[in-house]
Amino acid sequence: MKFLQLTDIHLTAPGQTIGGRDPNKNFAQAIEHAMKHHSDAEAMFITGDLSDWGETDDYKRLAEQLDKLPLPVHLCIGNHDDRPTFLKQFPDLEGDGGFVHSVVPLSIGHAILLDTWGPESHAGFFCEDRAKWLSYQLTELDGPIWIFMHHNPVPSHVKPMDEIMLLDSSRFGEIIRPFKDKISHILHGHCHLPLSGTFHGIPFFAPRGTNHAGWPNFAAERLLSAADLTESYAVIFADKNSTMIHMVEYGYKGNVRNEGSPEYADWDKITMIR
């Protein structure tokens, strides 16, 4: 099974840039690259910050782009989004309690998409209603399960970033901990950094994003840091026993070189290319 994760696409009004980059152009290039190399993926997941300002026109243009794709695309919302505006454009994505959460059957197991959005805040939220919904899904669904969400549930140890992480991470942890043998991975965005680790024994991963990149400035006290690193998305290969994730830096403009054969017999100072 193969599926794709894009995150933090931050669509804006045409012509506007973020960090000197055009998020609309970069998202289009991500889609083009993904469809050229991974059109056999069974699904695409976009984990939030779909619009930079939560504006109707951004969601309309996103819907138009997604309608052209040959594979199903599933959406989370992030702190830059606006849930009421989003649901006007994507009314079918409104779940129980008015949240943008859903369950997606996969060829192996299921995906659960969580809504961690809260009004007038960049931080993430996981209230009791969301906790009850997730607990029910984890109880009823067959595994393996991949959880997609926007906000990071684990501190990055970058102070200004951790002020806007999932504030209810303890409640989230209490819900998922009993199901650690059923949950394959948590996949999130938000930080604009490639991150991996574990939470209550469950692996998590985040790719950098399709536009502006973050930087782990551990000395930062108030402001987030950015860097001119290349745009990326994730390709996930999975079966019942394993998950392999690649962060594909599709925005890289340099050369890709051959550096020799994997055959041990060819490894010598004459034939190896360095």
Side-chain angles (χ1 to χ4, degrees):
M1 179 175 68
K2 179 199 286 189
F3 50 91
L4 308 174
Q5 181 196 4
L6 281 66
T7 195
D8 295 277
I9 64 178
H10 285 269
L11 299 183
T12 61
Q16 291 184 350
T17 60
I18 303 172
R21 301 183 184 187
D22 184 338
N24 300 299
K25 177 181 177 182
N26 284 326
F27 176 61
Q29 289 180 343
I31 294 297
E32 180 181 5
H33 189 278
M35 292 303 95
K36 178 180 179 180
H37 298 281
H38 304 289
S39 61
D40 59 334
E42 68 176 71
M44 176 187 294
F45 299 86
I46 308 181
T47 47
D49 282 359
L50 310 173
S51 167
D52 196 45
W53 292 99
E55 295 178 334
T56 298
D57 287 347
D58 295 336
Y59 297 131
K60 287 183 177 179
R61 282 183 284 105
L62 175 61
E64 291 171 357
Q65 289 173 291
L66 299 184
D67 284 344
K68 301 174 184 177
L69 296 183
L71 79 174
V73 181
H74 308 284
L75 304 175
C76 297
I77 57 173
N79 52 290
H80 279 257
D81 292 304
D82 181 76
R83 187 195 287 143
T85 306
F86 172 83
L87 287 174
K88 287 180 181 178
Q89 182 61 44
F90 296 95
D92 293 344
L93 297 186
E94 182 171 0
D96 293 348
F99 296 109
V100 182
H101 52 205
S102 60
V103 171
V104 177
L106 300 171
S107 59
I108 301 174
H110 294 83
I112 296 177
L113 284 78
L114 289 183
D115 181 338
T116 58
W117 181 87
E120 300 181 359
S121 175
H122 286 301
F125 300 91
F126 186 70
C127 62
E128 290 186 5
D129 289 340
R130 283 177 268 204
K132 291 177 181 177
W133 180 86
L134 178 59
S135 179
Y136 176 81
Q137 303 305 328
L138 291 173
T139 301
E140 295 298 318
L141 294 173
D142 294 329
I145 292 171
W146 289 267
I147 296 177
F148 291 85
M149 57 198 291
H150 181 68
H151 290 85
N152 53 306
V154 176
S156 67
H157 299 278
V158 176
K159 181 179 178 181
M161 177 58 69
D162 292 342
E163 290 176 0
I164 58 172
M165 63 176 283
L166 185 70
L167 299 184
D168 304 309
S169 62
S170 295
R171 178 183 288 130
F172 178 62
E174 290 173 1
I175 294 299
I176 65 173
R177 184 173 57 244
F179 301 97
K180 66 179 182 179
D181 293 333
K182 185 184 281 191
I183 301 171
S184 175
H185 257 78
I186 300 165
L187 298 121
H188 68 84
H190 188 49
C191 300
H192 295 248
L193 297 168
L195 298 171
S196 64
T198 62
F199 186 48
H200 293 285
I202 300 167
F204 67 82
F205 173 81
R208 184 179 295 129
T210 65
N211 194 64
H212 44 302
W215 181 262
N217 180 5
F218 298 106
E221 289 292 327
R222 190 174 68 88
L223 298 177
L224 299 170
S225 300
D228 294 325
L229 300 171
T230 191
E231 304 84 1
S232 73
Y233 64 87
V235 180
I236 298 103
F237 298 88
D239 57 33
K240 290 185 178 180
N241 300 311
S242 65
T243 300
M244 170 57 72
I245 306 175
H246 293 265
M247 190 178 78
V248 178
E249 297 182 296
Y250 71 93
Y252 173 65
K253 299 299 191 291
N255 294 324
V256 178
R257 301 180 299 275
N258 292 322
E259 288 198 333
S261 168
E263 297 295 332
Y264 188 81
D266 294 334
W267 282 42
D268 60 63
K269 292 182 178 179
I270 296 175
T271 59
M272 283 296 292
I273 302 170
R274 292 295 188 191

PDB file of all heavy atoms in Angstrom, residues 53-57 59 81-90 117:
ATOM      1  N   TRP A  53      -4.996  32.256   5.125  1.00  0.00           N
ATOM      2  CA  TRP A  53      -5.863  33.143   5.907  1.00  0.00           C
ATOM      3  C   TRP A  53      -7.285  32.620   6.033  1.00  0.00           C
ATOM      4  O   TRP A  53      -8.193  33.359   6.418  1.00  0.00           O
ATOM      5  CB  TRP A  53      -5.877  34.546   5.285  1.00  0.00           C
ATOM      6  CG  TRP A  53      -4.555  35.244   5.426  1.00  0.00           C
ATOM      7  CD1 TRP A  53      -3.569  35.347   4.482  1.00  0.00           C
ATOM      8  CD2 TRP A  53      -4.043  35.901   6.589  1.00  0.00           C
ATOM      9  NE1 TRP A  53      -2.483  36.027   4.980  1.00  0.00           N
ATOM     10  CE2 TRP A  53      -2.755  36.384   6.267  1.00  0.00           C
ATOM     11  CE3 TRP A  53      -4.550  36.128   7.872  1.00  0.00           C
ATOM     12  CZ2 TRP A  53      -1.963  37.078   7.188  1.00  0.00           C
ATOM     13  CZ3 TRP A  53      -3.765  36.818   8.783  1.00  0.00           C
ATOM     14  CH2 TRP A  53      -2.494  37.281   8.440  1.00  0.00           C
ATOM     15  N   GLY A  54      -7.506  31.348   5.690  1.00  0.00           N
ATOM     16  CA  GLY A  54      -8.834  30.769   5.838  1.00  0.00           C
ATOM     17  C   GLY A  54      -9.879  31.415   4.953  1.00  0.00           C
ATOM     18  O   GLY A  54     -11.030  31.587   5.377  1.00  0.00           O
ATOM     19  N   GLU A  55      -9.510  31.738   3.717  1.00  0.00           N
ATOM     20  CA  GLU A  55     -10.394  32.506   2.839  1.00  0.00           C
ATOM     21  C   GLU A  55     -11.124  31.621   1.836  1.00  0.00           C
ATOM     22  O   GLU A  55     -10.582  30.619   1.343  1.00  0.00           O
ATOM     23  CB  GLU A  55      -9.589  33.589   2.121  1.00  0.00           C
ATOM     24  CG  GLU A  55      -9.042  34.628   3.082  1.00  0.00           C
ATOM     25  CD  GLU A  55      -8.198  35.689   2.413  1.00  0.00           C
ATOM     26  OE1 GLU A  55      -7.614  35.417   1.348  1.00  0.00           O
ATOM     27  OE2 GLU A  55      -8.116  36.801   2.961  1.00  0.00           O
ATOM     28  N   THR A  56     -12.340  32.026   1.509  1.00  0.00           N
ATOM     29  CA  THR A  56     -13.207  31.250   0.631  1.00  0.00           C
ATOM     30  C   THR A  56     -12.559  30.950  -0.710  1.00  0.00           C
ATOM     31  O   THR A  56     -12.613  29.807  -1.205  1.00  0.00           O
ATOM     32  CB  THR A  56     -14.534  32.002   0.407  1.00  0.00           C
ATOM     33  OG1 THR A  56     -15.206  32.157   1.662  1.00  0.00           O
ATOM     34  CG2 THR A  56     -15.432  31.246  -0.556  1.00  0.00           C
ATOM     35  N   ASP A  57     -11.938  31.937  -1.328  1.00  0.00           N
ATOM     36  CA  ASP A  57     -11.369  31.738  -2.662  1.00  0.00           C
ATOM     37  C   ASP A  57     -10.263  30.695  -2.660  1.00  0.00           C
ATOM     38  O   ASP A  57     -10.102  29.948  -3.638  1.00  0.00           O
ATOM     39  CB  ASP A  57     -10.847  33.059  -3.223  1.00  0.00           C
ATOM     40  CG  ASP A  57     -11.965  34.007  -3.643  1.00  0.00           C
ATOM     41  OD1 ASP A  57     -13.119  33.545  -3.722  1.00  0.00           O
ATOM     42  OD2 ASP A  57     -11.677  35.191  -3.879  1.00  0.00           O
ATOM     43  N   TYR A  59     -10.140  28.034  -0.739  1.00  0.00           N
ATOM     44  CA  TYR A  59     -10.781  26.724  -0.686  1.00  0.00           C
ATOM     45  C   TYR A  59     -11.442  26.367  -2.022  1.00  0.00           C
ATOM     46  O   TYR A  59     -11.473  25.197  -2.417  1.00  0.00           O
ATOM     47  CB  TYR A  59     -11.799  26.683   0.447  1.00  0.00           C
ATOM     48  CG  TYR A  59     -11.183  26.856   1.815  1.00  0.00           C
ATOM     49  CD1 TYR A  59     -11.699  27.769   2.730  1.00  0.00           C
ATOM     50  CD2 TYR A  59     -10.068  26.112   2.201  1.00  0.00           C
ATOM     51  CE1 TYR A  59     -11.138  27.933   3.997  1.00  0.00           C
ATOM     52  CE2 TYR A  59      -9.484  26.267   3.452  1.00  0.00           C
ATOM     53  CZ  TYR A  59     -10.028  27.181   4.348  1.00  0.00           C
ATOM     54  OH  TYR A  59      -9.457  27.337   5.588  1.00  0.00           O
ATOM     55  N   ASP A  81      -6.408  27.750   8.944  1.00  0.00           N
ATOM     56  CA  ASP A  81      -7.704  27.577   8.302  1.00  0.00           C
ATOM     57  C   ASP A  81      -8.812  28.205   9.146  1.00  0.00           C
ATOM     58  O   ASP A  81      -8.601  28.633  10.275  1.00  0.00           O
ATOM     59  CB  ASP A  81      -7.974  26.083   8.083  1.00  0.00           C
ATOM     60  CG  ASP A  81      -7.037  25.473   7.066  1.00  0.00           C
ATOM     61  OD1 ASP A  81      -6.999  25.989   5.932  1.00  0.00           O
ATOM     62  OD2 ASP A  81      -6.325  24.499   7.408  1.00  0.00           O
ATOM     63  N   ASP A  82     -10.000  28.246   8.558  1.00  0.00           N
ATOM     64  CA  ASP A  82     -11.193  28.686   9.279  1.00  0.00           C
ATOM     65  C   ASP A  82     -12.266  27.625   9.063  1.00  0.00           C
ATOM     66  O   ASP A  82     -12.710  27.416   7.920  1.00  0.00           O
ATOM     67  CB  ASP A  82     -11.669  30.051   8.762  1.00  0.00           C
ATOM     68  CG  ASP A  82     -12.893  30.529   9.513  1.00  0.00           C
ATOM     69  OD1 ASP A  82     -12.748  30.973  10.665  1.00  0.00           O
ATOM     70  OD2 ASP A  82     -14.003  30.438   8.950  1.00  0.00           O
ATOM     71  N   ARG A  83     -12.635  26.948  10.136  1.00  0.00           N
ATOM     72  CA  ARG A  83     -13.534  25.805   9.987  1.00  0.00           C
ATOM     73  C   ARG A  83     -14.864  26.176   9.330  1.00  0.00           C
ATOM     74  O   ARG A  83     -15.298  25.495   8.383  1.00  0.00           O
ATOM     75  CB  ARG A  83     -13.773  25.125  11.336  1.00  0.00           C
ATOM     76  CG  ARG A  83     -14.571  23.820  11.202  1.00  0.00           C
ATOM     77  CD  ARG A  83     -15.097  23.359  12.541  1.00  0.00           C
ATOM     78  NE  ARG A  83     -14.061  22.835  13.395  1.00  0.00           N
ATOM     79  CZ  ARG A  83     -14.011  23.001  14.709  1.00  0.00           C
ATOM     80  NH1 ARG A  83     -14.935  23.726  15.313  1.00  0.00           N
ATOM     81  NH2 ARG A  83     -13.042  22.464  15.437  1.00  0.00           N
ATOM     82  N   PRO A  84     -15.583  27.232   9.785  1.00  0.00           N
ATOM     83  CA  PRO A  84     -16.865  27.549   9.142  1.00  0.00           C
ATOM     84  C   PRO A  84     -16.714  27.864   7.649  1.00  0.00           C
ATOM     85  O   PRO A  84     -17.534  27.413   6.832  1.00  0.00           O
ATOM     86  CB  PRO A  84     -17.355  28.773   9.924  1.00  0.00           C
ATOM     87  CG  PRO A  84     -16.696  28.662  11.257  1.00  0.00           C
ATOM     88  CD  PRO A  84     -15.345  28.082  10.976  1.00  0.00           C
ATOM     89  N   THR A  85     -15.679  28.604   7.281  1.00  0.00           N
ATOM     90  CA  THR A  85     -15.464  28.941   5.871  1.00  0.00           C
ATOM     91  C   THR A  85     -15.113  27.696   5.074  1.00  0.00           C
ATOM     92  O   THR A  85     -15.600  27.492   3.950  1.00  0.00           O
ATOM     93  CB  THR A  85     -14.349  29.987   5.741  1.00  0.00           C
ATOM     94  OG1 THR A  85     -14.663  31.115   6.557  1.00  0.00           O
ATOM     95  CG2 THR A  85     -14.189  30.441   4.301  1.00  0.00           C
ATOM     96  N   PHE A  86     -14.277  26.853   5.645  1.00  0.00           N
ATOM     97  CA  PHE A  86     -13.896  25.605   4.985  1.00  0.00           C
ATOM     98  C   PHE A  86     -15.113  24.724   4.717  1.00  0.00           C
ATOM     99  O   PHE A  86     -15.277  24.176   3.622  1.00  0.00           O
ATOM    100  CB  PHE A  86     -12.874  24.862   5.848  1.00  0.00           C
ATOM    101  CG  PHE A  86     -12.549  23.481   5.380  1.00  0.00           C
ATOM    102  CD1 PHE A  86     -11.615  23.269   4.379  1.00  0.00           C
ATOM    103  CD2 PHE A  86     -13.175  22.368   5.930  1.00  0.00           C
ATOM    104  CE1 PHE A  86     -11.313  21.993   3.939  1.00  0.00           C
ATOM    105  CE2 PHE A  86     -12.888  21.083   5.507  1.00  0.00           C
ATOM    106  CZ  PHE A  86     -11.949  20.902   4.504  1.00  0.00           C
ATOM    107  N   LEU A  87     -15.981  24.597   5.717  1.00  0.00           N
ATOM    108  CA  LEU A  87     -17.127  23.698   5.574  1.00  0.00           C
ATOM    109  C   LEU A  87     -18.167  24.224   4.590  1.00  0.00           C
ATOM    110  O   LEU A  87     -18.956  23.442   4.050  1.00  0.00           O
ATOM    111  CB  LEU A  87     -17.759  23.437   6.936  1.00  0.00           C
ATOM    112  CG  LEU A  87     -16.950  22.510   7.858  1.00  0.00           C
ATOM    113  CD1 LEU A  87     -17.575  22.422   9.230  1.00  0.00           C
ATOM    114  CD2 LEU A  87     -16.819  21.118   7.241  1.00  0.00           C
ATOM    115  N   LYS A  88     -18.184  25.520   4.338  1.00  0.00           N
ATOM    116  CA  LYS A  88     -19.074  26.041   3.305  1.00  0.00           C
ATOM    117  C   LYS A  88     -18.657  25.532   1.927  1.00  0.00           C
ATOM    118  O   LYS A  88     -19.502  25.315   1.050  1.00  0.00           O
ATOM    119  CB  LYS A  88     -19.074  27.572   3.339  1.00  0.00           C
ATOM    120  CG  LYS A  88     -19.808  28.160   4.526  1.00  0.00           C
ATOM    121  CD  LYS A  88     -19.760  29.682   4.502  1.00  0.00           C
ATOM    122  CE  LYS A  88     -20.474  30.264   5.726  1.00  0.00           C
ATOM    123  NZ  LYS A  88     -20.391  31.748   5.746  1.00  0.00           N
ATOM    124  N   GLN A  89     -17.357  25.344   1.740  1.00  0.00           N
ATOM    125  CA  GLN A  89     -16.856  24.849   0.467  1.00  0.00           C
ATOM    126  C   GLN A  89     -16.828  23.324   0.433  1.00  0.00           C
ATOM    127  O   GLN A  89     -17.003  22.718  -0.620  1.00  0.00           O
ATOM    128  CB  GLN A  89     -15.448  25.401   0.215  1.00  0.00           C
ATOM    129  CG  GLN A  89     -14.837  24.990  -1.113  1.00  0.00           C
ATOM    130  CD  GLN A  89     -15.651  25.481  -2.292  1.00  0.00           C
ATOM    131  OE1 GLN A  89     -16.098  26.626  -2.311  1.00  0.00           O
ATOM    132  NE2 GLN A  89     -15.860  24.612  -3.283  1.00  0.00           N
ATOM    133  N   PHE A  90     -16.602  22.704   1.591  1.00  0.00           N
ATOM    134  CA  PHE A  90     -16.515  21.245   1.676  1.00  0.00           C
ATOM    135  C   PHE A  90     -17.538  20.724   2.693  1.00  0.00           C
ATOM    136  O   PHE A  90     -17.166  20.136   3.727  1.00  0.00           O
ATOM    137  CB  PHE A  90     -15.107  20.819   2.099  1.00  0.00           C
ATOM    138  CG  PHE A  90     -14.013  21.162   1.118  1.00  0.00           C
ATOM    139  CD1 PHE A  90     -13.276  22.336   1.263  1.00  0.00           C
ATOM    140  CD2 PHE A  90     -13.707  20.318   0.070  1.00  0.00           C
ATOM    141  CE1 PHE A  90     -12.262  22.653   0.374  1.00  0.00           C
ATOM    142  CE2 PHE A  90     -12.701  20.623  -0.834  1.00  0.00           C
ATOM    143  CZ  PHE A  90     -11.972  21.797  -0.679  1.00  0.00           C
ATOM    144  N   TRP A 117      -8.362  21.942  15.216  1.00  0.00           N
ATOM    145  CA  TRP A 117      -8.526  23.396  15.064  1.00  0.00           C
ATOM    146  C   TRP A 117      -9.275  23.996  16.250  1.00  0.00           C
ATOM    147  O   TRP A 117     -10.155  23.368  16.847  1.00  0.00           O
ATOM    148  CB  TRP A 117      -9.302  23.672  13.779  1.00  0.00           C
ATOM    149  CG  TRP A 117      -9.537  25.119  13.459  1.00  0.00           C
ATOM    150  CD1 TRP A 117      -8.693  25.960  12.775  1.00  0.00           C
ATOM    151  CD2 TRP A 117     -10.698  25.898  13.766  1.00  0.00           C
ATOM    152  NE1 TRP A 117      -9.259  27.207  12.655  1.00  0.00           N
ATOM    153  CE2 TRP A 117     -10.487  27.207  13.254  1.00  0.00           C
ATOM    154  CE3 TRP A 117     -11.891  25.620  14.431  1.00  0.00           C
ATOM    155  CZ2 TRP A 117     -11.438  28.219  13.375  1.00  0.00           C
ATOM    156  CZ3 TRP A 117     -12.835  26.638  14.568  1.00  0.00           C
ATOM    157  CH2 TRP A 117     -12.608  27.918  14.037  1.00  0.00           C
TER     158      TRP A 117
END
